[in-house]
Amino acid sequence: MTETVTRTHRDGKQQIADSSTVEDVFDDTYKEKDGPKPPTALVWRNIVLMSVLHAAALYGLVLLPSASVPTLAWTAVCYIISALGVTAGAHRLWSHRSYKAAFPLRVFLALANSMAFQNDIYEWARDHRVHHKYSETDADPHNATRGFFFAHVGWLMVRKHPDVIEKGKKLELSDLKADKVVMFQRKHYKVSVVILCFLLPTFVPWYFWGESLTVGYFVPGLLRYAVMLNATWLVNSAAHLWGNRPYDKTINPRENRLVALSAIGEGFHNYHHTFPFDYATSEFGCKLNITTAFIDTMCFFGLAKDTKKVSKEIIAARIQRTGDSSNKSG
Ligand code: ST9
Ligand code: ZN
Ligand code: ZN
């Protein structure tokens, strides 16, 4: 079942919104504080770890030709599963509540999310809600006005701007606290990451088809992890900087098909910031959007329901009112 709910926004513009109270709608009443910005405090531990991970991923690339075909297939499977843990899980389900998921699906998505090792679901969704609510300001964790590198990975290498934490602490997060799967994953996060992000990708090829542990560790393990991280970060960097703005030309997020491809459906970012509660994060359903196909399949099997979708009429009216005239009909 697909539902749409209409409400009138503060500024009188008509929007479609979740009937619950997910705080993912842009708040234009927030003003950055005057005066000099706080100095950037580097977190050397993260700088070193990220550098080591990327060096190890390059070594994984060197080893790639020596990986067997089943290992390459397994790498792709690990990529898709961990990506779904972020896109269908932390993002569309837990950050935006754009559909409902039954317990077994939530367990799968939480496990897949640990395989992605992108902070636990609670922390990810909290940061993501402040990103939408205070987009491109000091209170946005990966504020793209600070440049490509900061939005991409730099934000994970420095202390957060105090406004991110101040505004984040005021967010309504009771739905996440009430979800036992989210809280269980948070409690056992470290051990679940060690097992699912590193040990499982390494040992499956070794145990089932005799792949070397070195290839298992560096290819489906670290190379897959680093590529998946960069595909995610491109949504924050590239899709906030490059692409068309068919739905709202007054905001930075863009439609970027290359990002949509690598991020399994999450590059239609102008649409997504305009209608954050749409379960497809795109006007065009499953097109370049494996995540939407996955959620539709879960609905078919009765594991997901109540997908929220913006109606064609409302999209057309929005394109007319605030779009940049670049929209193509799919
Ligand atoms: C990673 C995450 O990669 C990637 C997320 C990307 C998001 C993408 C979104 C785009 C759309 C979706 C597309 C998906 C596409 C997927 C495609 C897949 C192919 N509110 O954090 P601390 C509190 S992670 C409220 O230490 P610092 C906090 O609770 C990679 N409170 O801040 C704590 O309070 P208390 C692996 C907040 O010191 C206190 O503040 N991880 C908030 O500034 C301090 O928290 C890493 O690399 C908030 N928003 O440090 C690094 N935030 O003490 C992990 C914080 O009371 N992170 N608080 O408990 C860190 O090391 C640190 O967070 C830091 C900042 C160094 C970055
Ligand atoms: Zn964004
Ligand atoms: Zn979002």
Side-chain angles (χ1 to χ4, degrees):
M1 190 187 82
T2 299
E3 63 165 311
T4 49
V5 186
T6 309
R7 75 173 186 190
T8 304
H9 196 45
R10 191 178 45 249
D11 63 1
K13 295 171 197 162
Q14 211 178 44
Q15 293 203 342
I16 304 298
D18 182 0
S19 44
S20 65
T21 53
V22 175
E23 294 198 274
D24 56 7
V25 176
F26 184 68
D27 178 357
D28 56 10
T29 62
Y30 163 76
K31 295 281 171 281
E32 291 178 345
K33 293 187 180 80
D34 290 335
K37 305 272 183 202
T40 303
L42 299 178
V43 178
W44 281 103
R45 178 177 156 275
N46 289 7
I47 296 172
V48 170
L49 286 174
M50 278 301 171
S51 306
V52 170
L53 170 67
H54 284 75
L58 280 180
Y59 183 56
L61 212 52
V62 173
L63 291 179
L64 202 60
S66 59
S68 65
V69 172
T71 301
L72 295 176
W74 171 244
T75 304
V77 167
C78 290
Y79 185 90
I80 300 285
I81 292 177
S82 46
L84 284 172
V86 178
T87 59
H91 190 220
R92 300 189 198 184
L93 176 64
W94 282 299
S95 296
H96 294 298
R97 298 281 169 196
S98 67
Y99 68 101
K100 292 199 179 96
F103 181 72
L105 177 56
R106 281 187 287 133
V107 170
F108 167 77
L109 290 172
L111 294 171
N113 185 269
S114 287
M115 193 179 206
F117 185 17
Q118 288 195 9
N119 298 330
D120 63 53
I121 295 161
Y122 179 86
E123 186 172 339
W124 200 104
R126 183 183 62 184
D127 273 352
H128 194 64
R129 287 182 188 176
V130 267
H131 166 63
H132 275 267
K133 195 165 177 185
Y134 304 103
S135 199
E136 330 284 13
T137 70
D138 284 341
D140 175 352
H142 29 85
N143 176 6
T145 65
R146 292 176 72 174
F148 182 96
F149 187 79
F150 180 83
H152 194 74
V153 61
W155 67 284
L156 292 166
M157 299 172 163
V158 298
R159 298 279 165 219
K160 284 172 170 160
H161 190 288
D163 285 16
V164 173
I165 296 170
E166 187 190 312
K167 291 293 176 189
K169 286 199 190 299
K170 291 185 182 136
L171 284 181
E172 173 56 63
L173 301 170
S174 54
D175 58 313
L176 298 170
K177 289 177 189 151
D179 191 323
K180 290 195 169 58
V181 175
V182 173
M183 289 298 119
F184 186 87
Q185 192 235 21
R186 185 164 166 80
K187 191 167 170 204
H188 301 287
Y189 189 59
K190 282 187 184 146
V191 66
S192 70
V193 164
V194 172
I195 295 170
L196 293 161
C197 183
F198 300 112
L199 297 182
L200 187 79
T202 305
F203 280 97
V204 163
W206 170 80
Y207 183 81
F208 287 103
W209 53 89
E211 184 61 88
S212 78
L213 282 175
T214 310
V215 169
Y217 184 59
F218 283 97
V219 179
L222 299 184
L223 177 61
R224 179 270 318 169
Y225 175 47
V227 173
M228 191 267 322
L229 279 182
N230 279 278
T232 307
W233 299 338
L234 281 172
V235 179
N236 297 334
S237 53
H240 270 255
L241 297 167
W242 303 313
N244 295 332
R245 290 178 282 185
Y247 308 98
D248 194 339
K249 63 183 175 212
T250 68
I251 59 175
N252 254 344
R254 323 274 168 140
E255 302 290 282
N256 189 310
R257 282 161 187 249
L258 277 179
V259 175
L261 188 69
S262 60
I264 66 167
E266 300 281 19
F268 306 103
H269 214 48
N270 189 253
Y271 183 89
H272 176 57
H273 272 263
T274 309
F275 303 113
F277 29 80
D278 187 315
Y279 90 104
T281 70
S282 155
E283 181 182 352
F284 305 114
C286 297
K287 193 175 172 191
L288 284 177
N289 206 329
I290 295 173
T291 306
T292 301
F294 172 80
I295 297 169
D296 287 348
T297 310
M298 291 301 108
C299 288
F300 178 79
F301 288 113
L303 288 165
K305 62 177 184 179
D306 295 348
T307 48
K308 298 191 179 81
K309 191 86 196 84
V310 186
S311 74
K312 288 211 176 313
E313 295 71 39
I314 288 189
I315 296 172
R318 186 66 188 248
I319 288 170
Q320 194 70 27
R321 187 164 63 80
T322 56
D324 68 358
S325 311
S326 65
N327 193 60
K328 297 183 200 81
S329 58

